[in-house]
Amino acid sequence: MKKTYLLSLLTSFCALSIFSQQLVLKKGEIVENLSINDSTENTYSIYIPKTFSMEKKWPLMVVLDTEGNETKALSMFVVAAENEGYVLAAPKLLDSVSLTKNMVVVSQSIQKVTSMLPIHGDRIYAAGSESGGQFASLVPVLITGVNGTMSIGASLANRELINTKNPFHFVGIVNKENFNYPFMLTDAKLLDRYKFRNQVLLYDGSGEWPGVSYLEKGMQLFTLDAMGRKWIPNDPAYVEKAYQEDLGKLEQLKSIGDLLWAEQYMTEMVSMYGALKNMDSLRSVQKDLRKDRGFKAMKRAENAAFLKESLLKEDYQYYMEEDVYTHNFNNLGWWNHQMGEISKFISGSKPYEKQMGHRLKGFVNALAEDNIRIIASEEVVDEDALAFLYMLKTILEPENHEYYLKTISLSAKNDDFGTSLFYLEELLKKGFKDKEKLYSLEHTALFRITPEFNEMVSKYLDDARYDIKLDENRP
């Protein structure tokens, strides 16, 4: 490996000589498309905090997005990284390449950054959201020297790969309406059994992104853990400030009557500060809360919802596999009924069933999308199975125009103009207005010149591209 030389350190810039070329990294700004090495086209983006100096070692968080949007993903962590003092790096990953190749890119990007900057060898972490979060959970398992992962809205990718001889710190961030919430609780129990450091941070609402404060808290947990492990000096002021903030959060949860969340947060606080403070008083408060009648009633209600949810998930998984395999279009009515039942949960008055309803909706959609990806990637695509799934998605997400268009296209490809026409009208009833997209839709050249197509377009969009000439003998 060639030696890296520091040329200068300015107030706003870090200028480094890399492989005989000068690279200027501006502090406080994202620098994109940096080459990982001279022989490949693999790139990464980097963010260096404004307070960065070469005089101390810094933690590194590698932000992962498997769909090639690494800069956007990294930008979501910038404010938290600035406030908590983390260097960020985001290699360009693609879902079209293998897990192994993407993992090699991650490893090479870490080597690149650590060769340039004073990164603390014990404080390298991976982070990501959804599929990026699942990928991030594999990084400390497969890359030596990565000691933690922050996973947003995603459970562990593969529990069987976890090695008790290679522990890492897991921080999960999720809301209770996310279908991964129960899976993440299961992960936490598994990691507890293996004696891995772990915390699950909950946030309100159904949004996919938790907000900056939770990303800061995740980074803060890694910092507190580093202090507890004596990787960095203990900072009593930092610890006390974080602790007081968490006590404030705890009091807020108790004041709004969310005793389950309050009890869960106490568990995480004991884990967070156990190596840094005496937590006996908090343990005592938690013990008393668990005896509270209100808490016990809430726990029973949530457990009942979890049980019902697990049974329904088993049904959904079984019937989707069966329907896809047998091309059972007749069962679309059953799925429509199930979505009606899920809507009743969501609109009902029972809070834990409302959360369950949102999770079930997310689970069924994710299940359908997983099946679509698997079938579409096969060497010989089962188009009947794909058609079923596209139609199913119009039931699961009736306001999502994408799957109406896919159904129209695939049906027209197979000369099933009747089905194409039905879904065209359903699409137009949903308010679809993009005439250009309709007239350029793949596989619909013959369908688009039929009188029925143009009549439908004229009915809902006022004007058709082609003249409508009807057969004189047509009634």
Side-chain angles (χ1 to χ4, degrees):
M1 181 179 295
K2 295 186 179 181
K3 191 174 181 181
T4 300
Y5 296 93
L6 177 65
L7 295 182
S8 63
L9 181 65
L10 305 180
T11 302
S12 301
F13 296 87
C14 294
L16 304 175
S17 174
I18 313 293
F19 302 109
S20 302
Q21 294 180 351
Q22 182 170 311
L23 173 65
V24 177
L25 302 178
K26 187 172 183 180
K27 294 192 290 185
E29 289 189 10
I30 296 173
V31 182
E32 304 177 44
N33 298 319
L34 298 174
S35 178
I36 290 178
N37 57 55
D38 290 344
S39 61
T40 72
E41 296 181 356
N42 294 326
T43 63
Y44 68 102
S45 299
I46 194 168
Y47 179 83
I48 298 175
K50 296 174 184 176
T51 56
F52 178 85
S53 77
M54 297 292 288
E55 307 305 316
K56 58 174 274 190
K57 291 185 176 182
W58 294 76
L60 170 65
M61 180 159 287
V62 184
V63 180
L64 304 170
D65 181 278
T66 57
E67 298 177 357
N69 299 318
E70 74 284 353
T71 303
K72 180 180 178 182
L74 184 146
S75 68
M76 305 298 284
F77 286 80
V78 163
V79 175
E82 190 66 53
N83 292 339
E84 288 295 320
Y86 278 67
V87 172
L88 301 176
K92 189 171 195 64
L93 306 178
L94 297 173
D95 60 3
S96 59
V97 304
S98 68
L99 168 67
T100 301
K101 288 182 179 179
N102 274 334
M103 199 62 70
V104 168
V105 172
V106 174
S107 179
Q108 290 176 339
S109 66
I110 292 172
Q111 291 175 23
K112 183 75 169 183
V113 175
T114 54
S115 73
M116 290 192 305
L117 304 175
I119 300 299
H120 196 297
D122 291 319
R123 303 195 63 202
I124 300 174
Y125 310 100
S129 174
E130 299 183 330
S131 61
Q134 284 207 312
F135 185 89
S137 72
L138 291 173
V139 173
V141 177
L142 300 176
I143 299 179
T144 302
V146 179
N147 283 319
T149 187
M150 185 192 301
S151 179
I152 301 167
S155 55
L156 293 171
N158 192 324
R159 297 176 181 89
E160 294 179 2
L161 289 178
I162 293 177
N163 184 351
T164 55
K165 296 180 180 179
N166 183 31
F168 61 90
H169 187 172
F170 177 82
V171 174
I173 303 177
V174 69
N175 68 70
K176 290 189 175 186
E177 294 181 359
N178 187 310
F179 73 91
N180 273 307
Y181 169 56
F183 297 127
M184 202 171 281
L185 295 183
T186 301
D187 289 344
K189 291 178 181 178
L190 175 68
L191 295 172
D192 284 342
R193 191 161 69 247
Y194 288 163
K195 301 190 184 305
F196 282 31
R197 298 294 297 275
N198 71 91
Q199 290 88 30
V200 175
L201 303 177
L202 307 179
Y203 65 94
D204 285 317
S206 58
E208 295 178 354
W209 197 251
V212 172
S213 64
Y214 285 89
L215 303 183
E216 288 183 10
K217 175 56 67 175
M219 293 178 181
Q220 188 183 85
L221 293 179
F222 290 138
T223 299
L224 292 170
D225 181 55
M227 291 180 187
R229 294 178 183 273
K230 304 188 186 308
W231 290 341
I232 58 176
N234 188 0
D235 183 344
Y238 181 93
V239 174
E240 189 60 27
K241 181 176 182 295
Y243 186 69
Q244 292 302 321
E245 289 172 354
D246 285 326
L247 284 180
K249 171 75 173 181
L250 182 58
E251 289 305 314
Q252 179 188 16
L253 293 174
K254 291 164 69 175
S255 68
I256 63 174
D258 198 331
L259 302 185
L260 290 188
W261 192 349
E263 191 276 336
Q264 186 268 350
Y265 204 74
M266 288 183 203
T267 298
E268 306 305 355
M269 286 180 67
V270 170
S271 173
M272 295 174 201
Y273 299 100
L276 299 165
K277 292 176 68 71
N278 187 316
M279 303 301 292
D280 288 347
S281 60
L282 190 64
R283 288 190 180 95
S284 178
V285 172
Q286 185 182 37
K287 186 177 179 180
D288 290 341
L289 178 59
R290 287 171 175 170
K291 296 176 182 178
D292 184 271
R293 288 185 178 180
F295 170 81
K296 290 180 178 180
M298 291 178 185
K299 194 66 176 175
R300 285 194 297 271
E302 185 179 54
N303 286 338
F306 281 153
L307 178 59
K308 183 183 293 186
E309 180 178 352
S310 67
L311 295 173
L312 287 170
K313 282 179 178 178
E314 287 180 8
D315 283 348
Y316 297 154
Q317 191 153 6
Y318 171 80
Y319 283 112
M320 191 170 297
E321 289 176 0
E322 187 74 10
D323 291 347
V324 169
Y325 180 73
T326 61
H327 311 145
N328 190 5
F329 293 93
N330 291 330
N331 210 32
L332 289 170
W334 182 85
W335 284 105
N336 190 51
H337 174 73
Q338 294 307 309
M339 291 308 294
E341 295 299 300
I342 288 174
S343 294
K344 290 178 184 178
F345 290 135
I346 293 173
S347 61
S349 59
K350 298 179 179 180
Y352 300 108
E353 290 197 352
K354 286 173 73 75
Q355 293 169 1
M356 178 192 71
H358 286 289
R359 292 195 296 268
L360 288 172
K361 186 175 181 180
F363 176 78
V364 177
N365 273 289
L367 197 59
E369 289 163 13
D370 283 347
N371 276 277
I372 288 171
R373 279 192 291 270
I374 291 169
I375 291 170
S377 65
E378 291 175 348
E379 188 173 343
V380 178
V381 175
D382 184 343
E383 292 190 344
D384 286 334
L386 206 55
F388 171 83
L389 288 165
Y390 288 162
M391 293 176 190
L392 177 59
K393 281 292 289 180
T394 67
I395 295 171
L396 305 182
E397 288 189 289
E399 302 305 319
N400 185 343
H401 296 159
E402 176 186 358
Y403 292 98
Y404 294 92
L405 293 168
K406 287 180 180 294
T407 302
I408 294 167
S409 174
L410 187 56
S411 299
K413 178 183 178 182
N414 294 309
D415 297 327
D416 184 0
F417 292 169
T419 298
S420 293
L421 193 66
F422 174 81
Y423 279 94
L424 173 62
E425 182 162 25
E426 292 300 305
L427 173 65
L428 295 172
K429 285 179 180 178
K430 295 295 180 183
F432 185 80
K433 301 293 185 184
D434 192 342
K435 194 184 298 184
E436 286 299 317
K437 195 165 186 177
L438 275 183
Y439 278 96
S440 62
L441 192 59
E442 188 179 22
H443 305 308
T444 61
L446 292 177
F447 177 52
R448 294 197 303 268
I449 62 174
T450 62
E452 292 82 1
F453 177 91
N454 288 280
E455 280 180 355
M456 193 72 71
V457 172
S458 294
K459 178 180 177 181
Y460 288 93
L461 300 181
D462 299 328
D463 184 33
R465 179 173 294 180
Y466 304 110
D467 292 333
I468 303 170
K469 294 184 179 180
L470 300 177
D471 189 330
E472 292 180 0
N473 296 320
R474 193 177 164 198

